[in-house]
Amino acid sequence: MYNKVSFKRKLIASAVASCALSGVSGLTFAQGDQMLEEVVVTGIRASLERSMDIKRDSAGVVDAISSEDIGKFPDTNLAESLQRITGVSINRKNGEGSEITVRGFGPGFNMVTLNGRTMPTGSAYGGSSGAGSSTRGGNSRAFDFANLSADSVSGVEVYKTSKANIATGGIGATVNVKTANPLDEPGLNVSVAGKAIMDTTNRTGDDVTPEVSGIFSWSDDDGMFGVSLSASYSERDSGVTSATVNDWSVAEWGAGDTQTIYDNPANSDIFVNEPEVGQLYSRPNDVRYTFADRQRERTNARLAFQFRPMDSLTASLDYTFAQNDQSAHRGEVTTWVQNGGFIQNVEFDDSVIKTPKFITESYDPARRDVGFSQQYRSQEDTLESTGLNVEWDVTDQFSLVFDAHSSTMESLPTGPGRAGSLDIGVGASIKTGASWQFSGADIPNWTHTIDGDLEENLSSSVMRVFSVEQISEVDQAKLDGHWEFDNGSRFDFGIERREMSSNTVNYNGNANQVLGGWGASAPGEFPDGSFEEFDVPGEFDDPSVGNSPHIGFRADARELGAFLVEEYSAQNAYIGVENTEDPAGVRNSASNNEIQEDTDAVYVQFGTVGQLADFEVNILAGLRYEATDQTSSSETPPLAYYIWSSDNDFTAVSASPDTPTVDGQSYDVLLPSIDFSMNFSDNLIGRASYSQTIARPGLGSLGSVISFGNPNGSTLNEGTTVQATGQNPQLAPLESSNVDVSLEWYYDDASYASVGLFEKRVENFTGSEITQQTFDVRDQTSGPRAQAAAAALEEIGANQDNANLYAMMQILANPSKYPGGASELNDDVVADLNDQAGYEFITPNADDPLLEYEFSTTVNNREAKLYGAEFALQHFFGETGFGVQANYTIVRGDVKFDNLDITSDQFALLGLSDTANVVLMYENYGFETRLAYNWRDEYLNQTNWGSNNPGYVEAQSQLDMNISYYFTDNLSVSFEGINMTGEDRREHGRNENMLIFYDDLGARYQLGARYSF
């Protein structure tokens, strides 16, 4: 609550600001022996006053969020709070704030510190399986705020302009998370809280899950010794229903009988409203409706000791622990677009890049499968940090601070056999025809005809294990000095040593264990009761599913996997990430990438106060020098060859691992900064800042290995691409020159308005150099056998699509079984051979040519300019208790993605979007109420999805609410609603009809109580 006082309100606010971020502030003012009044200022308005005073009194552009009270941060999730700050937007994972984007710079370009300490990062959920929008592949520099509970946080500071004494690595911003120490709060302070969480998306978990937290802080009467302990535990069960298209191929339309990416000539009568010659058009790979049932357990704790033997010396020792356990049961209903001779009709829309409105296919008398893949994902993220801090006021004017910490972040898979994602391919091969609609709805719809019972015909196809481990460590020590002069000037200096290492181990996700075959050729093999029928399309709340078939299946992938390991023991089926010995090559082999960065830094900073034209001016100028030694060590088994197992299905086989490749570099930077502010009046402040900052390249780009993609068909056919990617340990850091100007008007105790302009000119963005290159890998899809098969198909007048070509190669290779040769080809034979059951797969011969790759190497070859404006308003309507916060951010850049360019690997600025926030508040008569609206415009999320396509996340908004009521000063209850209108997430490709992901999300509600004494 906010307790109104009628005197010296400005003085009280200033005193509160001097204790900013300390939680509850007890202030006493006296004149002589007469006690005037004791005022305790808490609640929304008090926290906003503290945040506003931090912004006003800081050099440069700084925004802050302060705890309303000890143990009571404005939001349960730090990222959800940060999105209220001007210029900050967030990425959500599982409907919850996860990573931040600041002024257009994404998570990897922002530095997150905990009490000024650089924190290690790591995120590898889902083992980079690529199925769904939430999987991660390790090698991450982005800090995941979902790992931290907000209960022990006393404040967050966002530095949008750099200073010499701030850690480097954040071009967008440096975010400092602050926690309270026991000597900040004299005496005994205890706060306990509990919440009941209800997630409306939950299907299989508990409808109500718990969250409990507590803070204990004690110091002796003399303020010499203090100890504090904060801890929290929460569970959340949730679900999501999604739609995705796994890939879109894009090409130019040809003339006459030119082959198309639909494996039919351009002049075929199957095409309706076909593109003009030379116009771009697209082809989908499939349509998938998916569901995931998720569980999350998060445990946080912080223990701190402080010792102050004299007023001038304070020593602090602290330990921080954060663990986030996530698991999910996920399933799909998939219908593949087969192309070639199966296509009956393709009708295009009128988009600039023509996209199919309708596709119809017939497989009769053959059959194709409906996919019901089942997956289990499990990952555990653990952050541990131990730190020592010593503050010594050597004199009244000179002070020293020594700080050291050792911190680790582990993101480790916890599924069976250390799997991050266990994927069991399941299908029923009874589909006789299918049709798809790709326009007129938020997600594609489809119908199919089937011949038989789906559940009775369920069969395995493949089993895959995806697993990524990332372990990062930071050891940091620094000494800071501060010297204040009598004239109000100051001199700061410091030295720092920071050692960072990050090790990512990625297990080969291409190790498909072919069981029943891609054609699901072992119907009825699973035990009765293995599957539960499940209406997947019926789970969508918002998008229309049209006449899509309302049947799917749910199963535990772990149980299916255990059954298949026993069932296919003769094929050495296995679950796990071990380097299992196999005569055909190394299965599920490990790719190990370790980056070590050792940085030494020194800085000096000088601040002074003066007069200019009767106005008070403040100047803070600094210089920071850093030298970094970087070492990259990579160990990845080389690619030996591909197994061609059906029309567009290939499995990579690795050779035995080579010795690690070690490379590296050293670089240094000199980073100046200057902040200038002028007080035009007591309430009107103008600012101008210039700084140079750096951000280090992504960890995944700094290795020294080559990653090989799989072909998607025969290289004799149009649209077949094979890609390889090379890393570069010589990449230079990004360098940014930044200019900020702003005007801030503090027109009341808790009210202000501000406007700011910014520009960032960035060099050394990474792009790609693409060349055509061969390696020691043979191409059986275009060698003599493939050419003979193509000639045979031409002779009998059959389409040269991938399925026919593969089948003809098998026919010609087995004359005893097919004595009629090419004449034996028919739909049944093509279907049988492509189902993979009982046939040897096609491997390379010595006379096959070397496979030609599109080889992409990461290089520093880009530069860009970002610029924009920020507008913010905070206003309280007198003593009514009503208030409003509002801000709007405009972000622009000079490099955009060209949707009509398919010939080059494009560079574009990611994450640029306008954002807006409006928060309505009321605080009086024991009530604290917030209604918060957050909006983010469409932004480019990725540039290399699938076949080098862009991914645009469409504009989205969210409405949150928080209501608290204080029965007494110590006891309160609260109700929170998060994403109350159930806004969804949709991402599309080069046009809106090219869906990438659609996540149908829902609201989450929390009912809680809190007691403090």
Side-chain angles (χ1 to χ4, degrees):
M1 291 181 292
Y2 178 78
N3 297 306
K4 182 181 71 175
V5 295
S6 59
F7 66 102
K8 299 183 182 292
R9 296 186 62 229
K10 186 66 179 178
L11 179 61
I12 294 174
S14 298
V16 171
S18 70
C19 302
L21 308 182
S22 63
V24 180
S25 298
L27 306 178
T28 303
F29 294 88
Q31 183 175 8
D33 296 330
Q34 182 181 5
M35 181 71 71
L36 294 179
E37 186 173 347
E38 183 180 68
V39 181
V40 177
V41 184
T42 66
I44 297 175
R45 181 162 179 165
S47 69
L48 293 177
E49 284 187 18
R50 291 194 290 270
S51 300
M52 186 185 76
D53 287 340
I54 292 171
K55 178 181 179 71
R56 176 172 53 195
D57 297 337
S58 296
V61 180
V62 180
D63 286 296
I65 306 170
S66 299
S67 176
E68 297 174 26
D69 200 349
I70 183 172
K72 189 172 186 291
F73 204 68
D75 292 273
T76 302
N77 180 287
L78 292 180
E80 301 285 350
S81 287
L82 285 169
Q83 71 175 336
R84 321 285 183 215
I85 287 180
T86 313
V88 179
S89 52
I90 66 174
N91 302 333
R92 291 184 175 88
K93 186 169 61 178
N94 192 18
E96 186 174 351
S98 175
E99 299 168 341
I100 64 169
T101 295
V102 184
R103 290 179 166 180
F105 282 96
F109 298 126
N110 298 300
M111 173 62 70
V112 176
T113 60
L114 180 64
N115 296 315
R117 300 165 178 168
T118 302
M119 286 291 102
T121 58
S123 183
Y125 176 75
S128 192
S129 64
S133 59
S134 63
T135 60
R136 300 290 189 269
N139 285 316
S140 174
R141 288 193 189 269
F143 188 85
D144 191 345
F145 285 93
N147 292 328
L148 285 184
S149 169
D151 297 285
S152 62
V153 174
S154 59
V156 179
E157 299 166 338
V158 179
Y159 293 88
K160 299 178 184 176
T161 56
S162 183
K163 298 176 180 59
N165 64 333
I166 293 179
T168 57
I171 284 183
T174 296
V175 178
N176 186 36
V177 180
K178 302 190 71 173
T179 55
N181 283 315
L183 295 183
D184 297 339
E185 296 292 335
L188 177 66
N189 297 276
V190 180
S191 175
V192 292
K195 291 181 181 179
I197 304 172
M198 186 192 75
D199 196 312
T200 61
T201 64
N202 174 62
R203 279 185 291 254
T204 61
D206 294 329
D207 290 334
V208 178
T209 55
E211 178 177 304
V212 292
S213 62
I215 296 179
F216 167 86
S217 176
W218 172 86
S219 64
D220 63 359
D221 294 338
D222 298 326
M224 178 181 294
F225 181 78
V227 59
S228 64
L229 173 65
S230 62
S232 65
Y233 173 81
S234 67
E235 298 177 6
R236 180 186 169 201
D237 292 344
S238 61
V240 64
T241 310
S242 305
T244 181
V245 175
N246 202 39
D247 194 9
W248 289 88
S249 297
V250 180
E252 284 188 5
W253 192 262
D257 60 358
T258 304
Q259 189 68 284
T260 69
I261 55 177
Y262 286 88
D263 290 338
N264 281 274
N267 57 9
S268 171
D269 59 6
I270 69 168
F271 297 114
V272 178
N273 194 32
E274 62 269 23
E276 301 285 339
V277 175
Q279 186 177 6
L280 294 182
Y281 69 104
S282 64
R283 185 202 77 190
N285 182 72
D286 54 28
V287 174
R288 304 176 185 222
Y289 287 176
T290 73
F291 65 92
D293 297 309
R294 298 167 170 165
Q295 297 78 39
R296 187 203 70 191
E297 295 184 13
R298 183 175 63 199
T299 305
N300 279 197
R302 184 175 186 271
L303 178 64
F305 300 94
Q306 281 192 298
F307 179 57
R308 185 178 291 158
M310 60 186 73
D311 291 342
S312 60
L313 183 66
T314 303
S316 305
L317 179 66
D318 59 81
Y319 170 75
T320 300
F321 174 86
Q323 189 171 85
N324 196 20
D325 291 308
Q326 302 178 75
S327 63
H329 294 273
R330 185 180 184 274
E332 301 179 354
V333 181
T334 305
T335 173
W336 289 272
V337 179
Q338 301 293 332
N339 301 311
F342 299 116
I343 296 182
Q344 304 296 301
N345 173 270
V346 179
E347 180 180 347
F348 290 98
D349 63 14
D350 293 319
S351 302
V352 175
I353 302 174
K354 287 223 168 186
T355 303
K357 291 174 62 177
F358 303 101
I359 298 177
T360 303
E361 293 186 344
S362 175
Y363 316 116
D364 209 25
R367 297 291 184 268
R368 283 293 179 267
D369 64 313
V370 185
F372 300 102
S373 172
Q374 302 293 320
Q375 296 144 24
Y376 177 75
R377 295 173 177 171
S378 184
Q379 197 87 7
E380 181 180 86
D381 295 344
T382 304
L383 171 68
E384 292 186 87
S385 178
T386 302
L388 172 68
N389 181 279
V390 179
E391 299 180 20
W392 181 27
D393 295 330
V394 182
T395 69
D396 290 342
Q397 294 177 300
F398 179 56
S399 61
L400 293 171
V401 178
F402 172 78
D403 190 270
H405 75 100
S406 179
S407 304
T408 61
M409 176 70 189
E410 297 182 348
S411 183
L412 302 177
T414 53
R418 299 202 340 261
S421 177
L422 175 62
D423 188 342
I424 309 296
V426 177
S429 191
I430 58 174
K431 184 170 61 174
T432 61
S435 62
W436 297 265
Q437 178 180 345
F438 291 93
S439 62
D442 287 328
I443 62 175
N445 304 158
W446 89 87
T447 59
H448 64 212
T449 54
I450 57 176
D451 181 17
D453 182 88
L454 283 170
E455 187 168 5
E456 291 177 0
N457 285 276
L458 291 179
S459 163
S460 66
S461 56
V462 299
M463 181 165 62
R464 293 175 285 186
V465 173
F466 300 88
S467 184
V468 177
E469 305 169 357
Q470 183 177 1
I471 301 176
S472 299
E473 299 180 2
V474 174
D475 294 314
Q476 182 181 23
K478 56 182 179 176
L479 178 67
D480 297 291
H482 178 72
W483 192 355
E484 292 186 359
F485 300 97
D486 292 335
N487 61 359
S489 299
R490 52 183 278 202
F491 176 70
D492 303 323
F493 64 90
I495 57 174
E496 177 185 335
R497 169 74 175 183
R498 182 171 71 244
E499 299 177 355
M500 188 283 294
S501 67
S502 181
N503 182 216
T504 295
V505 181
N506 192 319
Y507 291 91
N508 183 7
N510 290 323
N512 303 324
Q513 298 179 63
V514 178
L515 306 176
W518 285 106
S521 302
E525 66 175 332
F526 291 105
D528 292 341
S530 297
F531 296 89
E532 174 189 352
E533 191 171 308
F534 180 42
D535 183 4
V536 178
E539 288 294 319
F540 285 103
D541 288 329
D542 297 328
S544 171
V545 297
N547 293 319
S548 299
H550 282 242
I551 189 168
F553 295 98
R554 177 195 284 123
D556 189 326
R558 295 169 297 180
E559 295 178 359
L560 298 183
F563 165 77
L564 293 171
V565 167
E566 183 175 348
E567 186 77 0
Y568 290 87
S569 58
Q571 297 177 211
N572 297 318
Y574 72 102
I575 298 174
V577 298
E578 293 81 6
N579 291 327
T580 306
E581 293 298 327
D582 189 301
V586 179
R587 300 193 299 177
N588 217 33
S589 52
S591 173
N592 193 322
N593 191 51
E594 182 168 6
I595 308 297
Q596 176 77 39
E597 290 175 347
D598 297 336
T599 300
D600 294 304
V602 59
Y603 75 88
V604 292
Q605 190 168 261
F606 179 75
T608 188
V609 179
Q611 293 289 127
L612 180 63
D614 296 328
F615 298 117
E616 179 184 310
V617 296
N618 293 268
I619 300 174
L620 182 66
L623 196 62
R624 184 181 184 93
Y625 172 79
E626 285 195 351
T628 298
D629 290 326
Q630 174 203 303
T631 303
S632 300
S633 176
S634 300
E635 183 178 1
T636 298
L639 175 64
Y641 60 93
Y642 294 104
I643 297 172
W644 192 12
S645 51
S646 69
D647 49 2
N648 59 0
D649 297 312
F650 293 79
T651 298
V653 178
S654 299
S656 298
D658 290 336
T659 57
T661 302
V662 180
D663 202 347
Q665 63 170 329
S666 298
Y667 58 85
D668 55 14
V669 292
L670 188 63
L671 305 173
S673 62
I674 183 168
D675 295 301
F676 174 86
S677 65
M678 177 179 289
N679 293 358
F680 296 107
S681 68
D682 290 342
N683 299 321
L684 187 63
I685 301 174
R687 301 184 192 274
S689 299
Y690 172 81
S691 65
Q692 291 182 359
T693 53
I694 67 168
R696 292 173 173 83
L699 297 174
S701 300
L702 289 175
S704 51
V705 298
I706 296 174
S707 301
F708 295 93
N710 280 2
N712 56 3
S714 169
T715 56
L716 293 177
N717 285 333
E718 178 75 19
T720 297
T721 58
V722 196
Q723 297 175 343
T725 303
Q727 301 168 337
N728 185 355
Q730 303 296 325
L731 291 175
L734 280 69
E735 299 179 3
S736 178
S737 297
N738 319 297
V739 176
D740 284 78
V741 294
S742 62
L743 188 65
E744 302 163 3
W745 179 31
Y746 299 92
Y747 58 88
D748 205 349
D749 291 344
S751 301
Y752 75 93
S754 68
V755 58
L757 304 175
F758 62 88
E759 180 185 273
K760 296 177 180 288
R761 295 178 181 264
V762 185
E763 298 177 349
N764 293 335
F765 271 116
T766 55
S768 297
E769 287 183 348
I770 298 180
T771 58
Q772 299 296 316
Q773 190 165 334
T774 59
F775 302 90
D776 190 19
V777 179
R778 299 280 170 182
D779 179 13
Q780 65 266 48
T781 75
S782 66
R785 292 172 295 167
Q787 294 176 20
L793 290 171
E794 183 177 4
E795 185 176 341
I796 64 174
N799 198 317
Q800 188 184 305
D801 59 51
N802 291 317
N804 281 352
L805 190 63
Y806 178 85
M808 184 60 75
M809 288 180 68
Q810 291 280 27
I811 289 171
L812 298 181
N814 294 276
S816 59
K817 181 164 184 171
Y818 301 100
S823 63
E824 299 266 10
L825 186 80
N826 58 52
D827 289 342
D828 286 337
V829 170
V830 171
D832 184 40
L833 288 168
N834 279 272
D835 279 350
Q836 308 175 11
Y839 301 100
E840 293 292 330
F841 302 141
I842 300 176
T843 56
N845 287 341
D847 58 351
D848 287 324
L850 292 175
L851 184 60
E852 190 170 85
Y853 288 85
E854 279 189 1
F855 181 59
S856 173
T857 305
T858 305
V859 293
N860 294 112
N861 63 351
R862 311 287 186 172
E863 59 183 48
K865 180 176 72 174
L866 283 80
Y867 54 94
E870 298 177 340
F871 306 90
L873 171 70
Q874 179 174 299
H875 181 75
F876 280 89
F877 296 90
E879 307 304 326
T880 64
F882 288 98
V884 62
Q885 279 182 300
N887 60 64
Y888 192 95
T889 302
I890 300 170
V891 181
R892 298 290 184 269
D894 64 350
V895 181
K896 296 183 178 179
F897 193 92
D898 183 358
N899 291 325
L900 300 180
D901 181 4
I902 63 170
T903 61
S904 60
D905 187 69
Q906 295 191 54
F907 164 76
L909 297 170
L910 304 180
L912 272 63
S913 65
D914 292 356
T915 57
N917 293 278
V918 178
V919 182
L920 304 179
M921 300 167 285
Y922 176 76
E923 183 178 31
N924 223 336
Y925 305 109
F927 284 99
E928 289 182 3
T929 304
R930 285 191 198 87
L931 184 64
Y933 172 81
N934 171 261
W935 170 82
R936 184 177 185 182
D937 203 2
E938 181 177 283
Y939 63 94
L940 181 65
N941 184 51
Q942 52 187 329
T943 59
N944 58 353
W945 174 78
S947 302
N948 282 330
N949 285 308
Y952 296 94
V953 176
E954 298 177 6
Q956 53 191 145
S957 60
Q958 183 161 312
L959 188 66
D960 304 329
M961 180 181 65
N962 180 290
I963 300 174
S964 298
Y965 179 74
Y966 284 80
F967 291 98
T968 68
D969 289 341
N970 305 102
L971 177 63
S972 64
V973 295
S974 62
F975 173 79
E976 297 170 85
I978 302 166
N979 192 21
M980 293 189 298
T981 56
E983 298 298 320
D984 303 327
R985 180 189 186 275
R986 188 180 193 271
E987 185 172 357
H988 67 258
R990 294 174 188 262
N991 64 38
E992 290 187 359
N993 285 335
M994 295 170 65
L995 175 75
I996 295 178
F997 294 119
Y998 187 105
D999 291 335
D1000 193 0
L1001 305 174
R1004 185 167 76 254
Y1005 299 100
Q1006 301 181 154
L1007 180 64
R1010 181 169 168 270
Y1011 185 77
S1012 301
F1013 57 92

